[in-house]
Amino acid sequence: MPEENFFERVFDVVRQIPAGRVTSYGAVAQYLGSKGSSRVVGYAMGASVDAFPPVPAHRVVNRNGIVTGNLQQGNFKRRKQMLESEGIIMDDDAQIQNFKKLFWDPSVELKDS
DNA sequence: AGGGTGACGACTC
DNA sequence: AGAGTCGCCACCC
């Protein structure tokens, strides 16, 4: 069991997300064993700005495949562009198309290692 | 030691 | 179907 804080574990997982792929807060939380702590994952994302190396928080969206970012609208728009830059298509403005297809589940990709 | 906070998720009305 | 509410759990003050 890692002695790192929950946040660091979240960061580590998020950093392993391949470009052009996305995952959900809940999935990360579930992978970390705290399925119900999806909020904590989101909170960790907010703290990701303090983390180093930087965490691609833009690849983490909510369960709906919608890019959130209530923290700062500015970053929100910007992250959308980054996602598109990685080949991810957005529907309305924040809805990811083929979200299910692009979904990167840590509990599946990283499995139980 | 206690309370407030939060980039979610699922349930209920 | 849309909107509101509750719960969850770790971190910070």
Side-chain angles (χ1 to χ4, degrees), chain A residues 20-22 65 67 80-99 101-102:
Chain A
R21 287 296 197 88
V22 291
V67 181
K80 212 176 62 164
Q81 281 188 357
M82 277 160 89
L83 287 171
E84 291 184 329
S85 175
E86 294 185 350
I88 295 177
I89 317 280
M90 313 293 263
D91 193 358
D92 287 343
D93 264 316
Q95 234 290 332
I96 297 179
Q97 286 196 21
N98 304 325
F99 171 63
K101 205 165 71 170
L102 297 173

Side-chain angles (χ1 to χ4, degrees), chain A residues 9-10 13-14 17 23-33 41 60 106:
Chain A
R9 280 186 259 174
V10 174
V13 174
V14 175
I17 301 175
T23 192
S24 66
Y25 303 97
V28 176
Q30 188 173 359
Y31 173 72
L32 294 175
V41 175
V60 185

Side-chain angles (χ1 to χ4, degrees), chain A residues 58-70:
Chain A
H58 62 278
R59 294 186 192 144
V60 185
V61 298
N62 63 12
R63 180 64 181 90
N64 267 319
I66 303 205
V67 181
T68 48
N70 280 344

